[in-house]
Amino acid sequence: MGLFCNGFSLFVVVCSMAVAASGSFYQDFDLTWGDRRAKIFNGGQLLSLSLDKLSSQGPAHDEIDFEFLGNLSGDPYILHTNVFTQGKGNREQQFYLWFDPTRNFHTYSIIWKPQHIIFLVDNIPIRVFKNAESIGVPFPKSQPMRIYSSLWNADDWATRGGLVKTDWTKAPFTAYYRNFRASACTWSYGASSCGSQSSSAFSDGAWTTSELDAPGRRRLRWVQKYFMIYNYCTDLKRFPQGPPPECK
């Protein structure tokens, strides 16, 4: 499952910062494919997606991804994150969560700013991808933002490396979304205006600063120490000549 800004996955998106509004799926989303497999109800406050053997494909583009990987019943779910720029990804970090994500709604957020991209779960930062254009690493900033959510069958790689295949007798598989909110800055003639948003990962004024505050950095270290299970930056088998430049 992925929900994308330019392909950005999340349940609740905080993409680079404007005045926050309580979102309505009727107002903020178009159901562009799926033949009634996506439904909006509860007055526009709840969205459901169902997966049978329908699949979707699209062109290569910039993406900031949250994805939940399938599992065996009882095994921990894996939260997969990735950043694509100019059609190139391969920047995966994966995490076990400190809760069962199927038992209740949780908040999955992306803060996308010129300086960095921050992934958060329930306002706890789990990953920071910094802008490293100064050393030649592309950064997703040239395309307009959009949010894209879908379910797809990835049992060729996502389910324990493809060892577990989808049991279609249990289809359809359904995901639910609620409380969508997008916040952004507006730019005009070189000046920017941002909403007065705050997050527990930041001190006040977070929308105009470029770094996590001290509590946010401590939470990030906690998640990466105890819950990260894969980091492309440390995969020497994959990168025998050394990790990608942004990892350094």
Side-chain angles (χ1 to χ4, degrees):
M1 178 191 66
L3 191 52
F4 317 103
C5 293
N6 254 358
F8 299 3
S9 22
L10 60 160
F11 292 119
V12 174
V13 178
V14 188
C15 282
S16 189
M17 327 81 53
V19 178
S22 179
S24 165
F25 288 110
Y26 286 123
Q27 175 181 336
D28 298 324
F29 282 76
D30 291 322
L31 305 181
T32 59
W33 58 273
D35 190 25
R36 298 184 301 279
R37 292 174 177 86
K39 298 178 181 179
I40 299 173
F41 44 100
N42 281 13
Q45 299 304 302
L46 193 64
L47 167 69
S48 70
L49 299 179
S50 295
L51 173 68
D52 47 28
K53 290 191 176 182
L54 175 76
S55 63
S56 63
Q57 296 182 0
H61 52 351
D62 293 349
E63 294 184 10
I64 303 174
D65 295 342
F66 272 127
E67 304 177 23
F68 285 92
L69 305 189
N71 72 337
L72 287 173
S73 179
D75 289 350
Y77 284 83
I78 294 175
L79 181 63
H80 176 97
T81 67
N82 204 353
V83 176
F84 284 76
T85 53
Q86 300 176 11
K88 182 180 182 298
N90 300 326
R91 300 186 178 99
E92 303 92 345
Q93 289 185 359
Q94 296 179 345
F95 306 83
Y96 287 143
L97 294 169
W98 47 97
F99 53 83
D100 181 347
T102 69
R103 296 183 66 86
N104 208 335
F105 284 90
H106 292 270
T107 300
Y108 303 86
S109 309
I110 291 168
I111 295 177
W112 176 32
K113 302 173 71 172
Q115 302 91 345
H116 56 213
I117 299 160
I118 301 177
F119 297 76
L120 305 100
V121 177
D122 291 338
N123 284 326
I124 296 175
I126 65 170
R127 178 177 184 179
V128 177
F129 183 82
K130 293 187 177 182
N131 185 331
E133 290 179 300
S134 61
I135 57 174
V137 179
F139 189 80
K141 66 177 187 180
S142 61
Q143 301 187 57
M145 182 194 77
R146 70 177 184 271
I147 298 168
Y148 173 59
S149 175
S150 69
L151 299 177
W152 66 87
N153 177 28
D155 65 7
D156 58 333
W157 68 273
T159 51
R160 296 178 60 204
L163 295 177
V164 180
K165 299 303 179 182
T166 302
D167 182 357
W168 292 109
T169 66
K170 294 183 171 60
F173 306 101
T174 304
Y176 293 92
Y177 305 82
R178 72 180 181 194
N179 294 342
F180 167 79
R181 184 178 65 183
S183 302
C185 280
T186 57
W187 280 266
S188 178
Y189 302 103
S192 63
S193 175
C194 303
S196 57
Q197 299 300 312
S198 63
S199 162
S200 62
F202 292 93
S203 58
D204 291 340
W207 300 105
T208 57
T209 62
S210 61
E211 299 293 338
L212 290 171
D213 61 12
R217 291 192 297 271
R218 287 195 295 270
R219 294 187 184 112
L220 178 66
R221 289 193 296 268
W222 173 72
V223 171
Q224 295 193 341
K225 179 177 180 180
Y226 293 107
F227 299 99
M228 181 185 284
I229 60 172
Y230 178 79
N231 182 2
Y232 76 107
C233 286
T234 60
D235 191 340
L236 298 182
K237 290 184 178 180
R238 188 177 180 187
F239 302 106
Q241 303 304 318
E246 68 269 20
C247 297
K248 302 173 183 177

